[in-house]
Each structure stands twice: as C-alpha cells, then as structure tokens.
Amino acid sequence: MTNASGRPLDAKRAHAIAAAFRPDGRFANRWNYFYTRTKLSSDPLYPAVADALRGTHAPLLDLGCGLGLLSHTLREDGIQVPYRGVDIDAAKIVHAQRIAARAGLQGVAFEAMDLGGELPAHRGSVALLDVLQYVDTPAQVRILDAACAMLDPGSRLFIRSGLATPGWRPRVSKAFDTLAARAGWMYSPPRRYPDEALLRERLDAAGLRYEIAPLNGNTPFNNWQIVARRDA
Ligand SMILES: C[S@@+](CC[C@H](N)C(=O)[O-])C[C@H]1O[C@@H](n2cnc3c(N)ncnc32)[C@H](O)[C@@H]1O
C-alpha cells in the first residue's frame, strides 16, 4: 500500500470556493462557510478526486453528496464532466442547489435519495465520499456492487472511507462522526466502518483494477482512498 499524495487546497483557493457557501443575510449562520473553508484547507480529499478524474469525460454520480462541495472543487479545477449528486438529507440538497446556482456552476444537478433503499440508474464515474459508514453492512454491499456496475472503461470509481482498522485514528473518526450527528450536522450517527476485506471482495467480484491508500492529510482521521477502474 502506498501513501496517496495527500495535499489539501491552499488557503486562497479554499477561500474562493467557500465564498459561495456564505449565507445571504449579515446575521445568518455562517457555519457552512467556515466548515467548508476549514475542510478544504485541511483535507486532501477533493484534490485527490480531481486527480483521479482528470482526463476522463464520463458523467459523475456523487453518492451521498452533502452540500455538493465536490462539484465546486471539480469546476474550480477545470474538470467539466456532468455532475449529479444525491443525498438522503433533503435540506442539504436544497442548500446544495442554492449554493451551486449562486456560484454559477454549469452541468450540475442534485436530488434527495436514501441509498439504503434505492440506487440511481447511472453509467460513468462514481464518487462515494465518507458515506459508507452511515449504512449497515448489507447496504454497503448493495451500494458498492451498484457503483461497480456503473463503471464503463474510461470512467473511475473513487471511494473515500474510514476502515475498521486498529489504532487511535478510527476512534477519532467515530467520535467526530458521532458528534456531527448530535450537533445536527449529519443526518445520522455512523453505523459501521467497512472492512478492507469487504471492499476488496466486492471490487474483485466486479473485476475492477484498484488501489487502496491512506488519505489523511493534516487530519487526525482514519481516511482511505480507493480508486478503481474497469479495463476495456
Ligand atoms: C460526511 S458527509 C460527506 C458529504 C460529501 N460526500 C463530501 O464528502 O463532501 C456524509 C453524507 O452522507 C449522507 N448520507 C448518509 N446516509 C445516507 C443514505 N442512506 N443515503 C444517502 N445519503 C446518505 C449524509 O446526509 C451526508 O451528507
């Protein structure tokens, strides 16, 4: 296993992207803005997804898209593939639509959907970023199998997830995710972080080529990236 490059955005780019997440009113809640700016300047996730998608043309489905931050970072990085984000949290989807419109993003769409119960039809690339821990193991398997089946040659599956590994990092990840749910920022607390063996089993069963590497950057979390592709 090799370390992924793991560099977050510099402060200037993080600030420019986060600006669209500012609230309209002077006294409105600025949490989304500060959270986004801090996340972009500390977490190497979004540049890593951009690197994996650079040069591809297939539409991207972002499963569990949250506020659609990925669509902003991709456009800022010059990656113009059609983008569709789905998330269980209908309030976040409304926000995501509003923020994308404010930023003038083209070719992006958002939709509320519970991935525990249904999976969208799609062919192309798929992003699954920090979502798997919110569903139980059978749903993790269904989501992974569906995501793998969506890949065409030339597209990518990018998964970022905590894994059920030993050490202090998994404890930090779980504590943060639990706190985020208590604070109302996450729809639900984490259920189960997937096993690396489960991920490998599903990706192998789908016949994909893939690499798994740590993606922690400057964060104390237990984050891993999996980039998978289907050979022609
Ligand atoms: C940690 S956030 C990650 C957001 C986004 N993927 C990102 O990295 O910027 C996890 C997201 O998964 C969503 N989520 C949790 N359970 C879900 C489900 N069953 N179906 C769809 N989305 C879900 C949450 O609402 C939340 O927006």
Side-chain angles (χ1 to χ4, degrees), residues 26-232:
R26 193 166 155 216
F27 299 107
N29 189 336
R30 299 180 136 236
W31 163 257
N32 284 341
Y33 166 68
F34 287 117
Y35 172 81
T36 303
R37 203 173 78 174
T38 306
K39 185 163 172 77
L40 289 174
S41 8
S42 60
D43 192 339
L45 171 62
Y46 304 100
V49 183
D51 286 347
L53 293 180
R54 211 177 304 286
T56 68
H57 303 285
L60 173 66
L61 175 66
D62 187 3
L63 295 170
C65 63
L67 294 175
L69 186 47
L70 177 62
S71 62
H72 293 257
T73 58
L74 290 177
R75 292 296 186 261
E76 189 267 350
D77 213 336
I79 294 171
Q80 301 294 343
V81 295
Y83 169 98
R84 179 181 172 207
V86 302
D87 198 285
I88 192 173
D89 190 330
K92 272 192 187 170
I93 289 295
V94 170
H95 252 81
Q97 287 162 334
R98 193 176 303 145
I99 297 166
R102 182 188 296 154
L105 299 194
Q106 301 294 315
V108 306
F110 298 95
E111 198 181 321
M113 186 177 294
D114 177 3
L115 298 171
E118 63 175 318
L119 285 152
H122 175 72
R123 290 219 70 84
S125 294
V126 182
L128 187 52
L129 312 179
D130 299 341
V131 180
L132 283 173
Q133 72 267 31
Y134 293 104
V135 296
D136 59 18
T137 303
Q140 288 175 1
V141 171
R142 282 198 303 276
I143 293 169
L144 286 168
D145 287 353
C148 290
M150 292 170 184
L151 285 201
D152 285 326
S155 57
R156 301 281 181 275
L157 168 60
F158 192 110
I159 303 171
R160 208 274 285 264
S161 185
L163 296 179
T165 56
W168 58 270
R169 282 184 179 274
R171 290 198 292 276
V172 176
S173 286
K174 188 170 181 191
F176 181 85
D177 288 343
T178 305
L179 202 66
R182 287 214 183 116
W185 171 240
M186 277 306 135
Y187 193 82
S188 59
R191 286 187 178 209
R192 177 166 172 83
Y193 294 86
D195 290 314
E196 183 181 340
L198 176 87
L199 285 170
R200 288 188 182 278
E201 184 191 288
R202 301 326 307 160
L203 296 166
D204 287 338
L208 301 182
R209 199 151 53 87
Y210 59 90
E211 286 168 10
I212 302 183
L215 187 63
N216 297 316
N218 301 328
T219 76
F221 304 121
N222 183 40
N223 286 327
W224 298 78
Q225 76 165 43
I226 300 99
V227 185
R229 67 186 75 195
R230 185 181 298 290
D231 287 328

Side-chain angles (χ1 to χ4, degrees), residues 7-23:
R7 203 172 284 163
L9 291 179
D10 64 43
K12 201 170 156 200
R13 289 175 71 191
H15 171 74
I17 293 170
F21 290 71
R22 276 199 181 114

